[in-house]
Amino acid sequence: MVRLVRPLAAALALCCLAPLPPLLAPDAAVAQAQSAGSPDEPMKQIALTEEQIQSYIAAAADIEPILDKVPQSESGQLDAKVLTQLDAAAKKHQFASFEDYQDVAANVGLVMDGVDPQTKKYVGADVMLKKQINEVQADAKMPAADKKQALAELNDALKSIDPVKNAGNIDLVLKSYDKLAAAEPQQK
């Protein structure tokens, strides 16, 4: 089954966290949960290389427009034509396949979710989620029902965070943080 990191994360963010500012969408936890082949299968953590990160940044410009045109389906399956386009775009940037691109994207996302955007330092996804929880709790303008739902989702995401197993990935991602942040799809 093709794993859909970005589209499923975006769908969850749009459906469940739409009332929240873009800063509050827990992309990493969602990406972690959605990138695995099944709910019980952990995300495939790999040791990233500088070349993979640069290829990911370049490939995102070709892959994201394809994903933006794909209608969201209940099954999460891509049709063969779209998968062929995604594979071709990934291969153009030295990935073996779209699945290979997704593995790199998930590992980059795992680190990015732990980076404080103000300081651009890695603090951990758990710290960033706790910060988001505090911001939601302090938001007096958010309707109570939305706040309750957002807090439940953030707390669930907090429980499912995997630590970064390849510490070298943190340094590589921080080195290219600005380019990676610019390459991420924007919340709509």
Side-chain angles (χ1 to χ4, degrees):
M1 179 176 152
V2 175
R3 298 180 316 216
L4 300 173
V5 177
R6 294 284 182 201
L8 293 176
L12 182 65
L14 288 173
C15 294
C16 303
L17 299 175
L20 298 176
L23 170 67
L24 298 179
D27 292 334
V30 173
Q32 275 182 260
Q34 299 300 333
S35 68
S38 72
D40 298 331
E41 184 181 328
M43 184 188 94
K44 179 181 173 184
Q45 290 200 35
I46 58 174
L48 296 170
T49 66
E50 179 68 30
E51 293 78 19
Q52 285 175 314
I53 290 175
Q54 296 309 315
S55 292
Y56 167 75
I57 292 167
D62 291 338
I63 289 176
E64 292 307 325
I66 297 169
L67 292 175
D68 287 343
K69 294 177 187 174
V70 175
Q72 297 298 320
S73 70
E74 293 286 324
S75 68
Q77 296 287 335
L78 291 174
D79 68 30
K81 181 180 176 183
V82 172
L83 187 55
T84 300
Q85 290 176 327
L86 292 168
D87 274 335
K91 288 176 182 179
K92 176 181 168 184
H93 297 283
Q94 286 70 50
F95 289 101
S97 64
F98 178 62
E99 186 173 343
D100 187 33
Y101 167 86
Q102 286 184 297
D103 287 340
V104 171
N107 280 270
V108 167
L110 185 64
V111 175
M112 291 288 286
D113 290 333
V115 177
D116 183 329
Q118 279 77 33
T119 64
K120 298 181 183 177
K121 302 237 184 274
Y122 182 81
V123 295
D126 58 334
V127 172
M128 294 306 298
L129 275 173
K130 288 175 185 174
K131 182 178 177 182
Q132 292 173 358
I133 289 168
N134 290 337
E135 290 172 1
V136 170
Q137 289 171 333
D139 188 347
K141 294 181 182 180
M142 183 181 283
D146 292 344
K147 185 181 283 195
K148 182 178 179 181
Q149 180 182 357
L151 288 172
E153 290 170 4
L154 289 168
N155 281 309
D156 285 345
L158 188 60
K159 293 174 191 170
S160 67
I161 291 177
D162 286 334
V164 175
K165 293 179 182 169
N166 297 294
N169 289 357
I170 295 170
D171 293 332
L172 286 171
V173 168
L174 288 176
K175 180 178 174 185
S176 299
Y177 177 81
D178 291 329
K179 290 179 184 176
L180 288 164
E184 284 187 358
Q186 299 299 312
Q187 302 265 334
K188 294 178 182 171

